Amino acid sequence: MILCRRLALAVLVAVVLASCGGTSAPTEKKTDLFRIAIGVDPDTLDPIGQTTTTVQNIVDMAVETLVTIDERGAVKPLLAERWETSGDGLQLTLFLRRDVKFSDGAALDAQAVKLNLDRMLDPSLKVPLRGIMGDAIKGVEAVDSRTVRLTLKQASAPLVAALSQTTAGILSPAAIRTAPNTYKDVQKIVGSGPYVLKEFVKADHLMMTRNDAYWGRKAIYQAQEIKIVPEAASRESLVLAGQADMIILPPVADLAALQRDPKVKVKLADSDRTIFIAINNLRPGPLQKPEVRQALNYAVDKKSIIKNVLFNAADPLDAPMAKSLFGYCPVGSYDYNPGKARSMLAAAGASDLQVKLISPQGRYIQDLEAAQAIAGNLRDVGVKVDGPAKSDWPGYVATITKAPAENTTQLHVLGWAPGYLDAQQQMEQFLSLRWPPKALATSFYKNPTVDTLIQKANAGTDASARKQQYCDAAKQVWNDAPWIFLWTQRFPIVFSSKVKGVGSFPTEKFYTVYAEPA
Amino acid sequence: MHRYLARRLVATLPTLLGVATIIFLIVHLLPGDPARLIAGLLASEQDVARIRSQLGLDKPLLAQYVIFLGQLLRGDLGVSARTNASVVSEIASRLPYTVALAVISTVIATLAGILAGILAAARHNTRLDVLISSVALFGISMPVYWLGLMMIIVFSIQLHWLPVAGAQEPLAYVMPSLTLAAFSVALVARMTRSAMLEVLGQDFVRTARAKGLVERAVLLGHALKNALLPVITVVGLQFGALLGGAVLTETVFSWPGVGRLLVDSIFARDYPVVQGVVLVFAFLFILVNLAADLCYAYVDPRIRYR
């Protein structure tokens, strides 16, 4: 009996000692493993099937696209070394690099690109983010082994930028048809990227190993592990305990404390996500008047809410789109002015305005908390605010996407983040063709001048003319105030002081391929 | 005994059918369009419509119900709308983690709870009794969420002893199972204490003491066995609850269990997975209750099942 107890004690001590060795911080300059923690459990890694930027980050490590963007968001070559648009804008020809091999050894050629693009365009498959690629592309043709020609239904200037999206990623043709993968559903991705997917344990982690045959600059860490940690406080604990080298989206209230902590560094990366309160412009009553909507804009103290509620993880909007988009120009600011708001409401005969405000919770940084502060601002200028009422995201989307006749919203908080950095996808919010239930222009805004400008810019081929058209449209939108314009939120990344080279893109993506020990 | 078992198992079928119908109705009546959620805000109406028909959601509700029941009779729980994988494989890959955690924490809770309960009863109205009862009260009232994060701060961030997240190493089991056990320990301890106190006042205990048995034999050999019935009921119910209700613990410790699968699926309106998980939970709960009933007969020879 005593022997047994001693044995048990010895085993326990051994286990504890072994574990201490296992979880202690890695020695300096080791490049065997880089550990990341994210919050979302990937539904699928199939480039055509995924829908979230977090998942795109992982897919992008292994699967490359024809073009990509740089850290500021400008389009640059990747698998295609250059491209040409025909004079009438109806043909886009892409010339592929010669030196690219997939990680299964197959060479990249035009047939492989055609197979992938055809699959992405196949109407029988579930491709949520096909977007304008589906609208614009009529056919894909492999002209020769390294030339791919896209025939278009109509000229589409943003198409090249759209091809930088993970949805248009190029998989090895053999992998698409090798079990467990099927043409309909690819589970194990094989691409040409700097890392290779090694293992995916659902809801737990993914393991990527370095592609030593990569055609470009090779990654530094031999492997990257992506842990799936849904709780923000637990992600924060991971990086503080030295069990992760990088996390995204810590609890935002802890940002200041993290910034002071010498063990970690905080990067508040730029994001193209605009946060706004959509005003139902069709709602009978005062909300139909632009002056009333402008007054609501003056009533909200954006700067102080960003400082006190969002812990500085946002920047006030000065246009109806983020600064990183092609087509952005600064168009104005509704500086906090409660006195002006009050007198504008009185002048418009809306002193007794009553509104209902709804907000999601946990979808955007401090969304409901900000909505509460905004409700307070509106009450300060005499508006009677009912809310903010919250609901879970599925119910929320169902409420705000009802057709005009059944739509009962008045004010609702929403975020909008284009997948590629062209104003086209952002300005859909102001295109009357895109009202629900067709799409998500949920403020039901309509201005024929704006409609025309946007449609011209979308189809145009001259870059400077397009830019001007988006800019003109943005000025008109700003003046008509279909939204309460709030802010673009930042994308917080926290990484250990022992690493450097953690990058980001303005599309809410992080970039760790060239991370290295500090 | 075998006939009893067979009868009980057959009786689960109508229960499961009822559960299946209720959960089908609940998920389909929830606001939210699964196709729009899968497609995301940026997707076009045509793509959303296409996804809706691929998921079979464009059919009338009754037709969807008939298809669902037909699949169920063939043992097919359908395909996840989010991941395209079969619901059975989704649940099968998560269930072992949940069961392992539930078993470990139930064992911890049962052993520690019964021991603490016996001690408190044996030292009735002493400081030890008060201490155990207060700790138990603390355990019952403590939110698992808070307890989990506190343990992470102490054992991971400060002491660097235990992993914060995941289930890929033995040490990863320590904090989640202790967190889960905390509530059950307290419950079992309180139940054991009150059952023991009741039994200790009975005649056969006085007889045992009168014939000169040492106190340990009185407590463990005579009183405990008679006090165990209500404790088994509590342990059975708790185990059943742990199999289905460990969502918070699974979230705090990033445990890849079924609870998180259920919550993720509800937020994505992934109807087939929600239905499948609830059915599996219901079935497990019935099995655990049946096992508890069979334990009664083992502990109390007067109970016979026919």
Side-chain angles (χ1 to χ4, degrees), chain A residues 15 19-20 23 41-44 51 123-131 135 184-185 187 201-205 227-231 233-234 237-238 240-243 263 364 392-395 397-398 401 414-419 425 428 434 437-440, chain B residues 31-33 36-47 50-51 54-55 80-85 89-90 93-94 97 145 149 152-153 155-157 160-169 171 250-257 260 264 266-269:
Chain A
V15 167
S19 67
C20 289
T23 52
D41 184 21
D43 302 343
T44 172
T51 52
S124 72
L125 299 185
K126 198 162 90 184
V127 187
L129 299 180
R130 192 155 23 209
D135 299 339
K184 262 180 89 170
D185 181 33
Q187 303 273 351
V201 178
K202 276 190 180 171
D204 195 85
H205 75 278
K227 296 176 200 262
I228 297 146
V229 180
E231 170 55 40
S234 304
S237 302
L238 265 177
L240 290 177
Q243 294 175 23
K263 279 187 295 189
Y364 314 114
D392 82 338
W393 182 243
V397 174
T401 54
L414 196 63
W416 193 253
Q425 212 172 27
E428 291 199 346
R434 309 294 289 180
K438 248 193 187 147
L440 272 127
Chain B
D33 174 4
R36 170 52 79 184
L37 290 167
I38 286 169
L41 291 190
L42 300 175
S44 72
E45 174 65 5
Q46 295 93 304
D47 282 329
R50 220 172 273 138
I51 290 171
Q54 278 158 359
L55 296 176
S80 161
R82 277 195 311 152
T83 67
N84 292 332
S89 75
E90 287 283 343
S93 70
R94 307 289 191 90
Y97 293 105
Y145 187 83
L149 286 176
I152 288 177
I153 290 174
F155 295 108
S156 301
I157 299 184
H160 291 281
W161 285 359
L162 297 171
V164 175
Q168 300 303 311
E169 48 182 320
L171 277 178
E250 288 183 357
T251 304
V252 172
F253 293 104
S254 317
W255 196 259
R260 255 174 72 201
D264 284 353
I266 291 172
F267 283 126
R269 298 292 188 263

Side-chain angles (χ1 to χ4, degrees), chain A residues 142-352:
Chain A
V143 180
D144 60 40
S145 70
R146 55 180 289 267
T147 312
V148 181
R149 183 172 299 143
L150 308 184
T151 318
L152 310 186
K153 293 173 201 160
Q154 77 255 355
S156 174
L159 180 62
V160 176
L163 289 173
S164 70
Q165 297 175 104
T166 307
T167 309
I170 307 297
L171 296 165
S172 161
I176 291 179
R177 302 192 188 276
T178 311
N181 294 343
T182 59
Y183 174 73
K184 262 180 89 170
D185 181 33
V186 169
Q187 303 273 351
K188 185 150 178 38
I189 46 171
V190 179
S192 58
Y195 278 94
V196 178
L197 173 69
K198 180 84 181 298
E199 182 186 40
F200 176 19
V201 178
K202 276 190 180 171
D204 195 85
H205 75 278
L206 298 106
M207 186 64 83
M208 317 287 294
T209 52
R210 186 172 61 201
N211 178 3
D212 287 321
Y214 183 54
W215 59 270
R217 184 185 158 207
K218 290 179 187 53
I220 289 137
Y221 283 95
Q222 279 166 31
Q224 300 212 359
E225 182 189 24
I226 298 114
K227 296 176 200 262
I228 297 146
V229 180
E231 170 55 40
S234 304
R235 286 197 296 277
E236 182 184 17
S237 302
L238 265 177
V239 73
L240 290 177
Q243 294 175 23
D245 300 300
M246 189 204 101
I247 64 159
I248 57 172
L249 303 171
V252 66
D254 292 354
L255 280 177
L258 289 166
Q259 277 159 339
R260 283 194 301 271
D261 192 328
K263 279 187 295 189
V264 295
K265 292 201 162 69
V266 177
K267 183 179 172 113
L268 291 177
D270 272 332
S271 153
D272 64 345
R273 184 176 296 281
T274 48
I275 305 292
F276 51 89
I277 290 182
I279 304 170
N280 186 340
N281 287 235
L282 282 183
R283 179 98 195 158
L287 292 179
Q288 288 189 344
K289 295 184 188 166
E291 315 85 75
V292 171
R293 301 194 300 256
Q294 287 165 356
L296 297 183
N297 270 282
Y298 283 117
V300 177
D301 188 356
K302 275 85 62 178
K303 282 196 178 126
S304 115
I305 294 175
I306 287 175
K307 181 160 170 267
N308 298 312
V309 182
L310 277 87
F311 305 96
N312 290 319
D315 305 284
L317 281 174
D318 59 3
M321 68 182 86
K323 291 184 172 65
S324 49
L325 298 193
F326 172 89
Y328 160 85
C329 65
V331 296
S333 64
Y334 285 101
D335 291 334
Y336 178 51
N337 191 339
K340 186 168 181 176
R342 206 183 276 271
S343 58
M344 283 177 82
L345 286 174
S351 297
D352 57 348

Side-chain angles (χ1 to χ4, degrees), chain A residues 358-364 367-368 389-391 393 396 413-414:
Chain A
I358 57 173
S359 169
Q361 185 178 22
R363 184 82 191 175
Y364 314 114
D367 42 15
L368 182 68
K390 57 172 180 171
S391 69
W393 182 243
Y396 194 75
V413 177
L414 196 63

